[in-house]
Amino acid sequence: MDKTYQPNAIEQQWYNTWEENGYFKPSGDTEARSYSIMIPPPNVTGSLHMGHGFQESIMDALIRYHRMQGDNTLWQVGTDHAGIATQMVVERLLAAEGVSRHQLGRDKFIDKVWEWKQQSGGTITRQLRRLGASPDWSRERFTMDEGFYKAVQEVFVRLYEDGLIYRGKRLVNWDPKLHTAISDLEVLNEEEQGHLWHLRYPLADGSGHLVVATTRPETMLGDSAVAVHPEDERYRHLLGKNIKLPLSDREIPIIADDYVDREFGTGCVKITPAHDFNDYEMGQRHSLEIINILDADANLNESVPEKYRGMERFAARSQIVDDLEALGLLEKVEPHTLKVPRGDRSGVVIEPWLTDQWYVRTQQLAAEAIAAVEDGRVNFVPKNYENMYFSWMRDIQDWCISRQLWWGHRIPAWYDEEGNVYVGRSEEEVRRKHSLGADITLRQDEDVLDTWFSSGLWTFGTLGWPEDTPELRDFHPSSVLVTGFDIIFFWVARMMMLTLYLKKEVPFHTVYVHGLVRDSHGQKMSKSKGNVLDPIDLIDGIDLESLVQKRTTGMMQPHLREKIEQQTRKEFPQGIAAYGTDALRYTYYSLASTGRDIKFDVGRIEGFRNFCNKIWNASRYVLQNCEGQDCGQDNSSDFELTLADRWIISQLQRTETTVREAMDSYRFDLASQALYDFIWGEYCSWYLELSKPVLWDETAAAAVKKGTRRTLIRVLETLLRLAHPLMPFITEEIWQRVKTLAGSGGESIMLQPYPQPNANKFDQQAEAAVGWLKQVIEGVRNIRGEMNISPAKKIPLLLRGGSSRDRELLDQARSLLTKLASLKSISCLDAGESAPASATALVGDMELLVPMAGLIDVNAESTRLQKEIDKLAKDLTRVQGKLNNPKFVDKAPAEVVAKEKNKLADMQSAYDRLREKLQQLSGL
RNA sequence: GGGUGGUUAGCUCAGUUGGGAGAGCGGCGGCCUUACAAGCCGUAGGUCACAGGUUCGACCCCUGUACCACCCACCA
């Protein structure tokens, strides 16, 4: 074995072996419990970012954990066609060649998208493999593949026939750049600095004017009314009068509506029903005219005065403000912060715009989806996300599902020339069902469905629905959905609604919600901030120049380039080292406490790379001592276990319990912590050291040596299995080398049983003994460290006082103690016997004395003792105070009081002894 | 405006029925001790945001305040 762990030497090879041998497939054991996870399908043309890395690592840990437990385990993998995102990418590529999609035409454009998918669609799945993810690749799906096409048509038709899908004309969120409607969720409302324009609107009778305040003066050309509050005394006398609208010279009424806030602005609101959601509602209430003044590009259309026709909306804004000012109608302009709606993909300001769209009626579907969480058929982890889910679901609006895009599932609706609409699974079905002859021309709806409509079917669409397949019966509902809180509404809610309605069961039993991966300062990672880390770079490493290159190419805002370059050079002067997949995964787990965002610091991954190396080297030690030796691999029983052996075996049982509990409750941070503590803190730091005196002692009995070798190798083999779900590669590599010596076998660690604690192996006696031994050793080390005694220097140790039990423990551990504390000798003094001037430590009632002759600095020892005494004095005061308080003694449980009393006695005795030592010292 | 989460060592975070504050990284001191310098040994460092309350006893339970983050909402 290499002296240091080299992840790149083994990872790819093991991954290929696993995949080629079909280890990722379900066991097919129908007697076993089923366990399934449906991957949140990443965008087919995307590439892996840190969020994916985190999420996939969690899923893989769960999948491997359950697979090892013998469950019939399916991890369903696949990718999403991601309508808008993908279409935008391909459009951008075409634009680089100087071609627009309209020049190309719909069919050719779609061909291009498929071509692009062919080309780049493998990126993210290749990267998933680098993470060690173990989904069943043979079942990989795509949300636009043949089967999904069928499922989507079927769902649409059923919902339509049940009256849950309808077509309607109303205001939608219109993206003037992408030329499509988008759902409420795809609109981001961010606060921005803007202005509040106060405009004078003259009364039609010439008797004066009133002032309206608006953030969007250009929409005044579409005003249908001015509204005031019905009880606003300032304006009551104007009700029923008309305004002569400037610039367009239309007359519009002054109306009363209690939507108006008297406190805001002037208390007068201009009403533009065609371009504002509230105004639209008010327009409905008051039967106002709806005047659409914008075209699909959000330029002014032919219903405005000629001067403004064709103007871009923001150019029109300043023109109109100028014109009003020239007319003396601009009262004032105030700075004003407002929420500006922007498309989450395009970034442009969204316009409320009146169009025909398809909607899902959500009320009834949402009620079911709420009930399923309320009655516990679906559980959120952490639980508080249920509130977020409820509050959104209870206030849900109908879902606009049509998109004016080309890439996506075409809506299965056809129109005849009269404009009648027919919905069906195919044109043929429509014609048959409605007896439409060949002479009638039918034209299919041009629109496609919102991507989330098809991904909403993911849990059952991937399993063969609408056919009744064995997979559906085995693996649906899925066990757990692992997802970020940011898509609870986009995806989780929609899956709940669609699945409950169509499948009559929940899509998953548990929703595990994880946080966002941020940079080490808590900033969101983004290209424009230049703080993006690529999981693959953390695995393979990257030199500084390539990293700078990567972070500064293809930027939307090239002016940030220099800053990003500087910042990158400062943060990673050496580039990024190759840490390997297991270290990356372990970092994710260690940071995955529930529901919190995680700040990813490269320092952490380095620590876990070191942990991998620790495991690697511990294994080298074990193998050096076990290879070619009898380690009980034939399961013979002629061996004897030392206290240390029994102790580490007992600790292992505890660790198995902790890790299992953590995994079962999605506490990957606790699981990783428990493993780390056991492997590094117990197995490596103590047990390996304790094994040396046995193995290196030529006089030790063969049975004892065999017992130690057996324990070394078997504990190692077990902890590898225990750690495998978190760190698949290194555990496989080492396991292959140790399995035979550990009396085990099999093709791969990933198919081995997951360790289970054995109650008979808990050993309190051994734990107490080793606990004592550790204390003594630590006492000596402390003296050595504080007194600056070289670790190489062998020193004598005197023991004084202590119980008969201390003597017993000493007898059992004498040789271990001598070796590990690097002692020259150990001698015992009777309780009253005087000792030479020494440095002292206490273990219970027993004094550890290291004679000072030639070794110890009196002053240093005094200081050390004084420090101990001060600490004890402080604790003593507190405990004494507690026990002197009659209320405590009366009211606290007897056992607590007894415990405090014991504590006091121990502390008092230690205190006295140390004081005595200090006095002796000062007498020198 | 409503809601959720957070505030613990220099940094990142654990702390699960309220009973002597922990880890990793970083710092400091000492070690190339025959698995590992990606290591070993030792060590310093905290009014658990603040103010009240409940309790014999509060990092933990209750109330309020401050600050941070996020979500939702029709103030032009």
Side-chain angles (χ1 to χ4, degrees):
Chain A
M1 284 174 85
D2 288 333
K3 198 172 167 183
T4 51
Y5 174 53
Q6 305 291 341
N8 58 351
I10 61 162
E11 293 181 355
Q12 307 265 13
Q13 171 228 322
W14 279 119
Y15 195 89
N16 294 338
T17 306
W18 295 332
E19 189 176 352
E20 281 159 20
N21 285 303
Y23 296 160
F24 300 159
K25 294 182 179 170
S27 65
D29 178 357
T30 46
E31 299 293 300
R33 279 181 312 184
S34 287
Y35 187 86
S36 60
I37 296 179
M38 310 295 165
I39 197 171
N43 291 0
V44 63
T45 58
S47 59
L48 198 78
H49 55 59
M50 289 296 277
H52 289 124
F54 182 38
Q55 191 173 63
E56 316 305 357
S57 296
I58 287 170
M59 280 184 273
D60 194 52
L62 289 168
I63 286 290
R64 287 179 185 270
Y65 174 57
H66 282 272
R67 192 186 281 127
M68 287 178 80
Q69 288 188 71
D71 294 353
N72 186 21
T73 303
L74 170 67
W75 187 5
Q76 174 65 47
V77 72
T79 49
D80 193 278
H81 69 279
I84 297 184
T86 306
Q87 176 161 328
M88 278 174 72
V89 170
V90 177
E91 279 192 87
R92 208 176 302 145
L93 290 174
L94 286 173
E97 299 167 22
V99 186
S100 80
R101 75 179 153 106
H102 297 282
Q103 284 169 307
L104 216 55
R106 185 165 187 150
D107 290 347
K108 283 208 175 128
F109 178 77
I110 299 265
D111 289 346
K112 281 277 177 200
V113 181
W114 281 105
E115 251 174 58
W116 169 244
K117 188 227 163 203
Q118 218 56 38
Q119 235 181 70
S120 79
T123 306
I124 196 150
T125 50
R126 269 196 308 278
Q127 292 174 321
L128 259 172
R129 287 173 164 91
R130 291 301 314 280
L131 274 178
S134 61
D136 183 356
W137 290 107
S138 70
R139 298 187 49 83
E140 183 176 351
R141 295 294 300 273
F142 177 52
T143 55
M144 288 246 294
D145 66 22
E146 192 56 32
F148 248 86
Y149 173 78
K150 267 199 213 145
V152 168
Q153 308 295 306
E154 183 68 27
V155 169
F156 189 96
V157 173
R158 280 200 205 175
L159 291 175
Y160 180 79
E161 286 173 351
D162 296 346
L164 291 168
I165 283 184
Y166 64 93
R167 188 171 155 80
K169 193 184 201 88
R170 44 165 101 170
L171 280 193
V172 292
N173 304 297
W174 182 260
D175 187 316
K177 181 173 173 197
L178 300 174
H179 280 197
T180 180
I182 56 180
S183 73
D184 297 344
L185 284 175
E186 290 160 275
V187 180
L188 306 173
N189 289 295
E190 296 290 351
E191 271 197 353
E192 293 181 19
Q193 296 302 318
H195 300 279
L196 194 59
W197 284 271
H198 291 247
L199 310 179
R200 292 183 184 141
Y201 275 21
L203 294 166
D205 60 12
S207 64
H209 65 262
L210 50 69
V211 178
V212 298
T214 180
T215 55
R216 299 205 56 194
E218 71 280 11
T219 62
M220 61 142 338
L221 298 174
D223 284 358
S224 304
V226 169
V228 298
H229 195 274
E231 283 149 34
D232 194 332
E233 296 301 334
R234 292 172 296 174
Y235 303 113
R236 183 169 278 184
H237 65 287
L238 296 177
L239 289 175
K241 291 198 176 189
N242 280 350
I243 291 289
K244 180 142 192 204
L245 191 63
L247 306 182
S248 42
D249 286 338
R250 284 186 286 112
E251 287 203 7
I252 57 173
I254 299 171
I255 60 172
D257 194 296
D258 55 17
Y259 157 75
V260 178
D261 177 355
R262 277 173 282 185
E263 308 299 317
F264 189 89
T266 58
C268 301
V269 192
K270 60 189 275 308
I271 304 300
T272 320
H275 299 293
D276 182 282
F277 288 101
N278 293 312
D279 293 6
Y280 182 80
E281 305 251 313
M282 203 186 297
Q284 301 290 78
R285 287 201 288 276
H286 298 272
S287 310
L288 299 175
E289 193 184 354
I290 299 174
I291 308 167
N292 174 24
I293 60 162
L294 297 176
D295 65 16
D297 292 312
N299 295 335
L300 300 200
N301 66 16
E302 66 290 344
S303 36
V304 302
E306 194 163 351
K307 176 176 181 187
Y308 305 107
R309 281 180 204 162
M311 285 184 85
E312 192 272 334
R313 51 186 163 160
F314 298 110
R317 174 180 297 177
S318 47
Q319 183 64 57
I320 285 168
V321 169
D322 287 351
D323 291 349
L324 288 171
E325 189 168 17
L327 292 169
L329 297 176
L330 182 63
E331 175 118 347
K332 62 173 171 177
V333 187
E334 292 176 323
H336 181 67
T337 50
L338 71 164
K339 299 262 181 159
V340 178
R342 292 182 180 275
D344 64 350
R345 293 285 169 186
S346 67
V348 301
V349 178
I350 294 302
E351 289 292 344
W353 206 48
L354 196 61
T355 52
D356 284 306
Q357 302 289 344
W358 291 91
Y359 292 89
V360 171
R361 209 181 292 283
T362 44
Q363 201 96 57
Q364 175 198 340
L365 299 176
E368 279 295 311
I370 289 168
V373 176
E374 278 174 342
D375 64 23
R377 275 175 287 159
V378 174
N379 288 293
F380 280 71
V381 176
K383 193 118 184 128
N384 53 291
Y385 281 103
E386 289 180 3
N387 291 329
M388 187 167 139
Y389 170 87
F390 286 139
S391 68
W392 190 73
M393 275 293 197
R394 286 180 180 137
D395 198 31
I396 195 169
Q397 305 292 310
D398 282 357
W399 172 20
C400 175
I401 52 170
S402 44
R403 297 287 180 278
Q404 288 66 52
L405 303 173
W406 287 353
W407 175 242
H409 285 281
R410 194 90 176 253
I411 290 179
W414 283 262
Y415 305 91
D416 63 19
E417 282 171 353
E418 272 89 62
N420 295 311
V421 60
Y422 308 98
V423 168
R425 289 161 188 83
S426 63
E427 183 174 339
E428 193 212 329
E429 183 189 288
V430 163
R431 284 185 185 277
R432 189 160 18 88
K433 211 159 141 194
H434 298 277
S435 316
L436 304 172
D439 54 320
I440 296 175
T441 356
L442 288 180
R443 160 181 75 74
Q444 186 175 1
D445 197 309
E446 296 289 324
D447 293 351
V448 300
L449 288 163
D450 181 2
T451 302
W452 298 104
F453 188 88
S454 49
S455 34
L457 319 178
W458 188 243
T459 61
F460 56 96
T462 46
L463 297 176
W465 190 90
E467 311 298 323
D468 177 29
T469 61
E471 290 92 332
L472 266 177
R473 290 193 293 271
D474 283 347
F475 297 117
H476 201 276
S478 62
S479 308
V480 55
L481 178 76
V482 176
T483 190
F485 66 90
D486 49 329
I487 58 171
I488 288 181
F489 304 147
F490 276 110
W491 195 41
V492 179
R494 270 83 177 260
M495 273 198 281
M496 289 288 288
M497 293 192 287
L498 292 173
T499 311
L500 278 162
Y501 187 75
L502 293 151
K503 191 76 181 60
K504 305 297 173 210
E505 61 186 15
V506 295
F508 28 70
H509 297 299
T510 299
V511 182
Y512 172 76
V513 183
H514 63 249
L516 227 58
V517 182
R518 298 168 175 276
D519 77 2
S520 59
H521 309 291
Q523 297 285 313
K524 224 166 164 173
M525 288 190 190
S526 75
K527 183 91 191 164
S528 61
K529 286 196 189 113
N531 60 352
V532 174
L533 286 173
D534 183 337
I536 304 299
D537 293 342
L538 292 166
I539 295 172
D540 291 338
I542 185 169
D543 63 79
L544 179 59
E545 296 312 318
S546 310
L547 182 62
V548 167
Q549 180 75 14
K550 198 166 168 175
R551 286 184 163 187
T552 53
T553 47
M555 297 180 57
M556 299 284 193
Q557 298 136 293
H559 65 278
L560 297 173
R561 187 193 173 99
E562 200 172 320
K563 194 180 148 202
I564 290 173
E565 175 165 354
Q566 259 176 14
Q567 173 188 312
T568 304
R569 287 183 189 279
K570 190 175 164 208
E571 194 175 357
F572 302 104
Q574 313 295 323
I576 295 174
Y579 297 112
T581 298
D582 290 326
L584 174 63
R585 289 175 58 134
Y586 216 83
T587 309
Y588 286 135
Y589 300 127
S590 72
L591 294 170
S593 51
T594 47
R596 272 173 91 124
D597 284 355
I598 67 176
K599 296 183 191 171
F600 196 96
D601 188 335
V602 175
R604 295 296 290 246
I605 193 173
E606 187 179 346
F608 292 120
R609 186 270 316 259
N610 296 352
F611 179 49
C612 289
N613 193 49
K614 190 75 180 173
I615 298 175
W616 185 257
N617 275 293
S619 305
R620 286 178 60 217
Y621 166 80
V622 173
L623 286 170
Q624 278 163 18
N625 285 286
C626 291
E627 270 173 333
Q629 305 276 343
D630 179 3
C631 314
Q633 55 268 53
D634 57 357
N635 283 325
S636 52
S637 54
D638 57 334
F639 62 87
E640 200 178 306
L641 296 183
T642 64
L643 275 175
D645 297 333
R646 285 159 50 197
W647 166 75
I648 195 68
I649 290 168
S650 184
Q651 290 297 313
L652 177 62
Q653 309 310 306
R654 292 194 188 284
T655 308
E656 288 168 1
T657 309
T658 310
V659 170
R660 276 177 168 269
E661 281 171 5
M663 293 297 286
D664 289 335
S665 52
Y666 304 95
R667 290 300 303 268
F668 305 99
D669 57 333
L670 300 182
S672 71
Q673 180 77 38
L675 274 166
Y676 188 97
D677 289 347
F678 175 75
I679 295 175
W680 198 317
E682 307 290 357
Y683 185 70
C684 293
S685 292
W686 286 103
Y687 182 67
L688 259 47
E689 296 307 320
L690 290 166
S691 75
K692 287 174 185 175
V694 176
L695 296 178
W696 295 351
D697 178 1
E698 285 170 16
T699 65
V704 172
K705 286 186 161 189
K706 178 171 170 178
T708 293
R709 282 193 300 266
R710 187 181 193 275
T711 307
L712 268 176
I713 197 92
R714 292 194 179 209
V715 172
L716 176 61
E717 193 272 342
T718 309
L719 69 84
L720 290 171
R721 281 185 284 127
L722 200 60
H724 177 75
L726 306 189
M727 30 184 19
F729 292 114
I730 189 174
T731 50
E732 177 75 294
E733 175 68 23
I734 298 172
W735 186 81
Q736 295 290 344
R737 298 166 191 255
V738 305
K739 61 179 179 185
T740 314
L741 287 168
S744 180
E747 293 169 31
S748 165
I749 190 174
M750 62 175 285
L751 305 176
Q752 295 301 305
Y754 200 71
Q756 215 163 1
N758 178 343
N760 297 326
K761 291 184 177 169
F762 284 99
D763 191 330
Q764 293 197 356
Q765 199 194 351
E767 285 185 13
V770 174
W772 178 89
L773 176 63
K774 282 162 95 172
Q775 273 186 294
V776 175
I777 292 171
E778 278 164 351
V780 175
R781 280 179 184 170
N782 174 282
I783 291 171
R784 196 190 279 278
E786 294 278 289
M787 292 300 108
N788 254 325
I789 301 169
S790 153
K793 173 98 183 164
K794 296 217 188 300
I795 53 178
L797 175 67
L798 304 177
L799 301 176
R800 184 165 64 180
S803 60
S804 57
R805 180 165 159 68
D806 286 323
R807 306 291 159 135
E808 253 172 61
L809 288 165
L810 174 64
D811 284 343
Q812 291 175 321
R814 180 179 285 269
S815 71
L816 288 175
L817 184 54
T818 308
K819 184 76 192 168
L820 268 67
S822 191
L823 300 176
K824 191 192 283 174
S825 61
I826 303 175
S827 3
C828 295
L829 304 175
D830 291 330
E833 200 173 333
S834 68
S838 306
T840 310
L842 292 175
V843 173
D845 286 337
M846 184 173 67
E847 284 176 59
L848 310 182
L849 304 169
V850 176
M852 303 176 65
L855 285 174
I856 288 166
D857 176 343
V858 175
N859 286 331
E861 174 63 3
S862 304
T863 314
R864 202 180 65 89
L865 282 177
Q866 190 62 56
K867 210 163 66 181
E868 287 288 310
I869 290 168
D870 290 347
K871 207 193 292 178
L872 271 172
K874 216 170 107 189
D875 291 347
L876 253 167
T877 321
R878 197 170 34 77
V879 177
Q880 260 165 352
K882 217 172 187 179
L883 284 166
N884 288 340
N885 180 353
K887 288 182 184 165
F888 171 73
V889 182
D890 290 349
K891 296 200 176 177
E895 55 188 45
V896 173
V897 177
K899 202 174 141 196
E900 292 292 315
K901 280 185 175 158
N902 283 334
K903 202 193 292 175
L904 182 68
D906 290 348
M907 279 159 56
Q908 189 66 57
S909 122
Y911 180 78
D912 294 344
R913 282 159 187 268
L914 290 176
R915 291 270 308 221
E916 197 181 315
K917 295 309 293 183
L918 187 61
Q919 257 169 10
Q920 276 177 21
L921 263 186
S922 57
L924 285 178

